[in-house]
Amino acid sequence: MVGLWRCTLAVMLTCVYLWGSGDAVGGAKSRPRPQKRPPKKPKITPIDLTEPAQNIDIERMLGRWYLLNSASKCSYLINHGTKVEPTVMTITRTPTSNEMLSVSTKTRHNHQCWEILQVYHLNPGTPGRLTLKAHPEDNIEIVIGETDYDSYAIMYYQKRGMITVKLYGRFLNNLSEPLLTKFEELAAKQNFQRAYHFPFPTYSMSNIILIR
């Protein structure tokens, strides 16, 4: 009987040994699959945190606007900010679509008039947000931040994460002290100190005749 138990124990130990050897020799153990990385959170840019004015009425934004001041870290303005010329923006409806605006921007260079024609696409879900489309990385996102439609509009423009704040007026030399203070406060929220403010020259009648 004792011999039988010894034989049975020997067989069991042999099976355990062979099982362990087969597991090691027959092939490597399967490695755990690498876990998928969580998707990257979308990058938040300054324009995403800038809310448009409530209940924007695009129809009341149509017409002529004179550029009065700009806050930006654009290299061109930093290098040529003292040489900026009067600039007039005219907004109209496009004849082919209610979801786009035609924008004409006129300025002077070497005593000649230059006109830039662009199309702004409206954001149907968020009135007051617009896009000037190019290659996706070069799109310009636009927000109408504040306006009373009749005298001033403060607009934000962002390209490649760099934002610019612009102050427009409906009338010539329509830059009152309270309006300038409002613009400076909003520009400061975008980290623009006064060194990055670029006032545009006074609009004389000769300037307006030249760029009309």
Side-chain angles (χ1 to χ4, degrees):
M1 188 67 178
V2 174
L4 179 60
W5 277 106
R6 287 179 178 175
C7 181
T8 303
L9 181 60
V11 171
M12 291 176 63
L13 291 174
T14 301
C15 290
V16 170
Y17 172 77
L18 291 175
W19 178 269
S21 300
D23 192 34
V25 176
K29 293 183 179 180
S30 60
R31 296 180 179 178
R33 294 181 180 179
Q35 295 182 352
K36 293 183 179 180
R37 293 182 179 179
K40 291 183 178 180
K41 294 182 179 180
K43 185 178 180 181
I44 303 298
T45 64
I47 205 78
D48 298 322
L49 303 176
T50 304
E51 292 294 331
Q54 293 185 352
N55 303 318
I56 282 289
D57 185 350
I58 290 296
E59 293 298 324
R60 297 182 64 187
M61 289 295 299
L62 304 182
R64 181 172 295 174
W65 293 95
Y66 300 96
L67 182 56
L68 303 177
N69 209 323
S70 181
S72 178
K73 294 182 180 178
C74 165
S75 59
Y76 179 84
L77 283 176
I78 291 174
N79 294 325
H80 302 90
T82 59
K83 300 178 182 179
V84 292
E85 293 283 359
T87 301
V88 178
M89 175 177 69
T90 304
I91 305 174
T92 57
R93 281 286 189 181
T94 59
T96 57
S97 174
N98 290 328
E99 297 181 356
M100 295 184 291
L101 299 174
S102 295
V103 180
S104 164
T105 302
K106 292 182 179 180
T107 188
R108 294 193 317 171
H109 182 67
N110 292 333
H111 301 286
Q112 293 182 343
C113 176
W114 292 78
E115 181 177 19
I116 302 171
L117 299 176
Q118 298 170 319
V119 174
Y120 290 1
H121 294 256
L122 302 176
N123 185 328
T126 310
R129 288 189 180 273
L130 309 96
T131 302
L132 174 58
K133 294 186 177 181
H135 296 293
E137 65 273 12
D138 289 328
N139 284 351
I140 298 178
E141 302 298 332
I142 304 162
V143 167
I144 303 171
E146 286 199 22
T147 184
D148 65 355
Y149 304 105
D150 298 323
S151 62
Y152 81 96
I154 296 175
M155 299 177 64
Y156 299 79
Y157 297 77
Q158 177 180 279
K159 180 178 180 180
R160 295 188 176 184
M162 180 178 291
I163 199 165
T164 294
V165 188
K166 294 184 179 182
L167 171 62
Y168 290 93
R170 281 291 195 189
F171 306 104
L172 303 180
N173 308 321
N174 184 36
L175 188 55
S176 64
E177 193 64 31
L179 182 55
L180 179 59
T181 299
K182 179 191 290 285
F183 171 75
E184 290 175 346
E185 289 174 351
L186 293 176
K189 291 182 179 180
Q190 301 293 336
N191 297 319
F192 291 123
Q193 297 80 19
R194 288 194 178 184
Y196 296 102
H197 293 196
F198 302 95
F200 278 67
T202 301
Y203 287 81
S204 64
M205 288 308 300
S206 60
N207 287 334
I208 299 307
I209 292 172
L210 184 61
I211 61 179
R212 274 182 177 174

